[in-house]
Amino acid sequence: MLERIEWIRGIGLLHDVDGRALKFSNTQLIYADNGRGKSTFASVLRSVATGDASALLERKTIDGTIAPDASLTFGSGHKVIFTKGKWSEQRPELLVFDAEFIEKNVHSGGVVTPGQRKNLLQFALGASAVKARAIEEKATKESSEANAAVARITAQLAGYHQGMLLPAFQKLAPTADAIAQPQIDNLRKRVQVAQNIDAVLLRSLPEEIPEPSFDLDALFNILNLSLKDVEENAEQKVSARIAKAGNPTIERWVSEGQVFDDGSVCPYCEQDTTGVELVRAYRTHFNKEYEQLKSSVSVLERGVLARTSDAVVDKLGLGTAHACAAIGLWAVEVQFDSPVFAIEKAKADIAVLRETLLSLVQTKLNKPLEPIGDDSEKTQCKLQWGTVLQHIQDTNAQICHARLLIDAYRQGLKSENIGTMNQEVLRLQLGVTRGKTEVSELLTSLATAKKKSQEAEAQKKTARATLNDQMTTTLTVFQTSINRILKKFGASFSIEKMDSNFRGGLRSEYGLSLRGMSITLDGTPKFATALSEGDKRTLAFAFFVATVSSDPDLKNKVVVIDDPMCSLDANRKTQTKEVLKVISSRAEQLIVLAHDPFFVRDLKEALSQKGAPALQVLQLQHSADGYSQLARFNVEQECESPFFRHHRLLMEFCSGTAHDSRSVAKAIRPFLEGYLHRRFPGLVPRDLMFGGVLMLIGTVGATDPLSYANPLVEELQDINSYAGQFHHDTNPGVCETLPVITSELLAYSQRALTLVYRGTV
């Protein structure tokens, strides 16, 4: 058994635990608040059980300066030490149930993984199938080694038959090199020719250069546009009139009034307006056609420059260069002259057109109301644009000629089946390789290795069949035991179809039956949602208890359980105590860690034996710098109610036990209040101060049960007048500084106790 925790250092909150003065008993209860290091303590015991130090190294104290280090004392003072990242020895007799057990063997949240099923099976089988499992593992290992030998020889042969499957290579007839080589050389030449043909067919082909476009008709349509009844210098006249009016809204007013202007008579005074320049200027200024004309003329120059710039010719020259580059790829096989584009002449010709058009546009800009450019000028411009296009048309004719010659060459090419020829070359080469001595020897070794692999596989199947029989028997008993435990726990589900298989390694398989419905671990409904957190914890605990209970060597085992009642309801907590009582009676030692002091108290009572000393309870308590220390724990005192605590303070003080006098003085009034609440349950309002309660007693009728307290009121008021001095609600600002006279306190404490004990004054 585990006798002592000599020390634990540098591991989580257990930064410097010294437990040398605390000897463990056969049934050891340890209390700790949440976050005080229970899980870390359980991990230390799990680590020494498995010899796995990783969990402790991962839990190294974050802000500590001490390396993980521990010393545990087992039976007869035998010490097991953890230092420099490893244990001095392993103690497999420790069986630990904690969150890590659930995580590794049962489930991770709502998921049950293949690894957990494998670990659970190994844990469940225990020693019952050790021999059969050892034979199966030996046979599996021999089978794996035989398969590895086959794989190794196969890998060695892979370098000799690349490009052909091994079975086909084995069937090849060995070929002499002198016979195969001439055939191989001839085929390679044919392949080279065929490969060149493929490359030729993938070459780029020259493409004709797209001709630029220029809509001269649209341009001349704009130049020819004119408008009648439009006043020259209309904008100047209108702007001057609006400025003279000095009103910024007049322009809008005049614009809206245009709808009433019939062109001859003023809509206001009916005077003749046909010859009035300002009225004509208004009509011109607000004329939409005029505005559109001005807008169209304003963009003519930019359009002419864009379509007749040297950049247009440069783009044609670039297209010619691309076509020449593509044609050059065929120069070796096809004879022709490269296309030529007269770029300088084209630039000169387009410059002539540009100057002519810009001149016409400039004239239109100066006289936007007059038609500019007659038909002869338009015809001349079109002829000049045709001259520009002729240069690229001549070049495209050369490109088309070259393309025809190239297409003719491509059509004349003959292509052979390269794949077939390469396969024949490979077959001839591998035929030569097949005849090599080292290859023949490897093929012979492969046949021998395959035979051994088949024999080993047969032995493995036999061993697995034997192990399966053992596992079937064990798991049947295991399932029955688990379901018996689940039933005691009042679980609404049970285990069904518990089995094992060798998929991905030896692992368990089982399902759940919930309210008549079967639930698979990875199906629908899901394990994650079908069970509550308490159910999942109960299932894991049932697995653990069933395995521990069936262990024939339990009398030599130390069972460690971390928070067994976590997420459990009242009934399951009761059943947990019964289960722990059975384990305590059968195991060499039971160690229980819990965060609920009331559960620890009840468990202490349940596990204590008549005539034997009361069980000692330890705790992981808060120590310096927020770490935890192992110490003795008075669980009864921790669980006592305020009334009992106040009674204990007064009783111990009166019997001579040293206590803080002010704390004792403060305890008198709530002690008496608690007495009244217990003597008259439900009759004393909870929200009344003590003085108010005494006033209430004095006002009740003779038939009210509270009337029985009337004889006590005078004494209670007298005691309260003393005790109230030490409470903030009745003596604010002074209660904490008022001196407490010991003799006076002793007298009033005794009076309070006497009143409660006697029930009378």
Side-chain angles (χ1 to χ4, degrees):
M1 62 175 281
L2 178 64
E3 293 185 347
R4 277 187 179 84
I5 302 295
E6 297 280 332
W7 66 76
I8 299 175
R9 296 190 285 242
I11 303 173
L13 290 179
L14 310 183
H15 182 247
D16 192 12
V17 172
D18 184 354
R20 285 173 289 188
L22 304 172
K23 185 177 181 180
F24 280 25
S25 58
N26 292 71
T27 300
Q28 184 61 60
L29 307 180
I30 301 176
Y31 164 77
D33 291 333
N34 283 324
R36 275 291 109 216
K38 289 193 316 301
S39 297
T40 303
F41 189 88
S43 288
V44 172
L45 300 185
R46 174 179 291 282
S47 177
V48 72
T50 61
D52 181 8
S54 60
L56 303 189
L57 299 177
E58 290 170 359
R59 289 177 179 265
K60 183 181 183 299
T61 304
I62 295 173
D63 56 346
T65 58
I66 306 173
D69 176 29
S71 177
L72 313 180
T73 300
F74 287 85
S76 304
H78 182 74
K79 287 183 173 56
V80 179
I81 297 173
F82 179 79
T83 184
K84 295 181 180 180
K86 63 180 181 180
W87 288 100
S88 58
E89 65 180 82
Q90 193 175 332
R91 301 297 297 217
E93 72 269 23
L94 273 81
L95 306 177
V96 182
F97 175 80
D98 59 357
E100 189 174 349
F101 170 84
I102 300 172
E103 180 80 20
K104 287 185 175 180
N105 302 287
V106 187
H107 64 82
S108 304
V111 179
V112 182
T113 66
Q116 290 163 337
R117 300 183 203 181
K118 178 180 179 181
N119 293 340
L120 178 62
L121 181 62
Q122 292 177 346
F123 183 75
L125 291 177
S128 63
V130 168
K131 184 177 180 181
R133 186 167 55 184
I135 294 172
E136 188 276 334
E137 288 175 350
K138 180 174 180 293
T140 299
K141 181 180 178 182
E142 291 175 351
S143 177
S144 297
E145 290 173 351
N147 290 334
V150 171
R152 184 175 61 254
I153 299 171
T154 301
Q156 289 176 303
L157 282 166
Y160 292 102
H161 65 88
Q162 291 181 0
M164 181 179 287
L165 295 176
L166 181 57
F169 178 67
Q170 288 176 289
K171 295 176 182 178
L172 275 180
T175 306
D177 185 55
I179 296 173
Q181 196 57 50
Q183 299 178 53
I184 292 172
D185 292 340
N186 181 52
L187 285 167
R188 281 177 172 167
K189 289 177 182 178
R190 291 167 58 191
V191 168
Q192 187 175 8
V193 172
Q195 288 173 335
N196 288 336
I197 292 172
D198 288 341
V200 168
L201 294 176
L202 290 173
R203 293 177 190 169
S204 299
L205 296 172
E207 301 290 342
E208 290 187 51
I209 304 163
E211 295 182 8
S213 62
F214 194 173
D215 191 350
L216 288 169
D217 288 329
L219 185 144
F220 271 87
N221 286 341
I222 296 173
L223 291 174
N224 294 156
L225 281 174
S226 65
L227 294 175
K228 296 178 181 181
D229 298 325
V230 175
E231 181 72 17
E232 292 285 354
N233 302 321
E235 284 82 354
Q236 296 178 6
K237 295 175 181 178
V238 171
S239 297
R241 177 70 187 95
I242 291 173
K244 184 177 180 181
N247 189 331
T249 64
I250 194 169
E251 182 173 6
R252 178 180 175 188
W253 180 78
V254 175
S255 173
E256 292 174 347
Q258 290 295 301
V259 299
F260 305 106
D261 183 8
D262 62 0
S264 59
V265 177
C266 174
Y268 279 107
C269 61
E270 295 187 352
Q271 294 185 49
D272 184 15
T273 60
T274 54
V276 180
E277 289 185 358
L278 182 58
V279 174
R280 291 187 62 197
Y282 281 141
R283 293 174 187 150
T284 300
H285 182 73
F286 295 108
N287 189 326
K288 292 184 179 179
E289 293 182 1
Y290 177 56
E291 290 298 320
Q292 181 63 39
L293 175 61
K294 288 192 296 181
S295 175
S296 299
V297 171
S298 68
V299 299
L300 285 178
E301 183 176 13
R302 187 165 66 251
V304 169
L305 289 174
R307 289 166 177 77
T308 62
S309 67
D310 287 350
V312 175
V313 179
D314 289 335
K315 185 176 180 181
L316 297 174
L318 182 61
T320 303
H322 289 162
C324 289
I327 290 171
L329 298 174
W330 302 88
V332 176
E333 294 87 357
V334 184
Q335 300 299 317
F336 45 71
D337 295 329
S338 293
V340 176
F341 175 58
I343 188 169
E344 296 304 326
K345 186 65 173 68
K347 285 184 177 181
D349 290 336
I350 206 169
V352 172
L353 177 62
R354 182 170 62 245
E355 292 171 5
T356 301
L357 292 175
L358 288 176
S359 175
L360 292 170
V361 170
Q362 188 60 46
T363 302
K364 184 67 175 177
L365 288 171
N366 294 332
K367 298 180 179 181
L369 301 179
E370 295 182 9
I372 304 298
D374 55 24
D375 289 343
S376 64
E377 287 174 313
K378 181 166 74 171
T379 301
Q380 184 59 39
C381 288
K382 285 187 174 182
L383 289 173
Q384 187 63 28
W385 177 245
T387 301
V388 174
L389 293 181
Q390 188 60 48
H391 294 297
I392 195 60
Q393 289 167 357
D394 292 343
T395 302
N396 276 338
Q398 299 172 56
I399 293 172
C400 285
H401 176 66
R403 177 67 176 261
L404 289 172
L405 295 175
I406 293 170
D407 285 341
Y409 173 72
R410 284 162 52 89
Q411 292 298 324
L413 293 176
K414 302 288 184 180
S415 179
E416 293 194 76
N417 191 325
I418 297 174
T420 301
M421 289 188 290
N422 280 330
Q423 286 296 321
E424 183 61 18
V425 169
L426 178 64
R427 190 190 67 78
L428 290 168
Q429 289 175 328
L430 293 180
V432 174
T433 302
R434 177 67 179 80
K436 291 182 179 180
T437 303
E438 65 268 27
V439 173
S440 297
E441 291 175 351
L442 282 173
L443 289 172
T444 301
S445 299
L446 179 62
T448 302
K450 283 185 175 181
K451 183 179 179 182
K452 288 183 179 179
S453 174
Q454 292 169 355
E455 293 172 350
E457 184 66 23
Q459 292 174 356
K460 183 179 79 171
K461 287 181 179 179
T462 301
R464 282 195 172 179
T466 302
L467 178 58
N468 271 328
D469 291 341
Q470 290 273 2
M471 289 191 299
T472 299
T473 303
T474 301
L475 292 178
T476 299
V477 175
F478 190 48
Q479 177 177 330
T480 303
S481 178
I482 291 171
N483 286 336
R484 187 184 304 115
I485 295 169
L486 290 174
K487 186 175 181 181
K488 286 183 179 180
F489 275 88
S492 60
F493 61 93
S494 60
I495 296 292
E496 67 176 11
K497 302 175 184 176
M498 193 149 204
D499 200 355
S500 61
N501 60 56
F502 293 88
R503 291 198 297 271
L506 186 60
R507 71 182 194 181
S508 64
E509 291 289 349
Y510 61 92
L512 301 176
S513 177
L514 177 62
R515 293 189 292 276
M517 175 175 259
S518 294
I519 301 173
T520 60
L521 298 182
D522 47 12
T524 302
K526 293 184 178 179
F527 173 84
T529 55
L531 299 186
S532 67
E533 292 306 309
D535 284 341
K536 294 173 190 173
R537 180 87 178 189
T538 299
L539 176 63
F541 192 50
F543 278 140
F544 181 83
V545 171
T547 303
V548 169
S549 300
S550 63
D551 190 340
D553 194 35
L554 183 57
K555 65 180 183 300
N556 296 316
K557 298 294 176 67
V558 176
V559 180
V560 181
I561 299 179
D562 177 22
D563 250 353
M565 76 299 176
C566 180
S567 300
L568 302 185
D569 57 25
N571 173 62
R572 293 181 185 179
K573 288 182 180 180
T574 300
Q575 294 303 321
T576 297
K577 285 182 283 188
E578 293 301 316
V579 166
L580 295 179
K581 189 173 182 180
V582 173
I583 294 176
S584 175
S585 66
R586 294 182 55 202
E588 180 182 21
Q589 185 179 29
L590 172 65
I591 300 174
V592 180
L593 299 101
H595 74 280
D596 183 348
F598 296 97
F599 177 80
V600 174
R601 181 197 62 190
D602 295 346
L603 189 60
K604 176 184 177 182
E605 293 176 0
L607 298 180
S608 295
Q609 297 179 2
K610 290 184 179 180
L615 294 179
Q616 171 186 258
V617 181
L618 302 178
Q619 72 167 326
L620 288 169
Q621 67 179 14
H622 183 277
S623 64
D625 298 321
Y627 300 129
S628 295
Q629 184 59 263
L630 194 62
R632 288 186 171 83
F633 180 58
N634 189 333
V635 67
E636 288 81 7
Q637 186 170 313
E638 178 71 17
C639 295
E640 66 185 358
S641 67
F643 175 74
F644 278 90
R645 182 169 65 254
H646 296 139
H647 169 259
R648 179 175 52 79
L649 271 175
L650 296 176
M651 184 183 65
E652 290 177 352
F653 177 72
C654 290
S655 63
T657 302
H659 280 296
D660 175 61
S661 296
R662 191 169 302 278
S663 298
V664 176
K666 287 182 178 181
I668 295 174
R669 190 170 77 176
F671 170 63
L672 294 175
E673 287 178 344
Y675 162 69
L676 291 176
H677 281 290
R678 280 163 177 75
R679 181 175 173 185
F680 303 100
L683 299 177
V684 179
R686 291 283 179 183
D687 57 346
L688 277 183
M689 301 289 289
F690 191 56
V693 173
L694 298 181
M695 291 178 61
L696 175 66
I697 294 172
T699 62
V700 298
T703 59
D704 193 309
L706 269 179
S707 62
Y708 291 109
N710 266 316
L712 306 177
V713 170
E714 185 177 348
E715 176 70 354
L716 288 172
Q717 287 176 336
D718 191 28
I719 298 173
N720 185 44
S721 65
Y722 168 77
Q725 302 177 91
F726 304 101
H727 289 271
H728 180 75
D729 57 349
T730 53
N731 197 14
V734 183
C735 61
E736 295 297 335
T737 58
L738 188 71
V740 181
I741 300 171
T742 303
S743 58
E744 188 178 27
L745 174 62
L746 182 60
Y748 277 100
S749 297
Q750 288 173 337
R751 287 172 65 181
L753 289 171
T754 300
L755 185 148
V756 170
Y757 292 157
R758 290 180 177 177
T760 60
V761 178

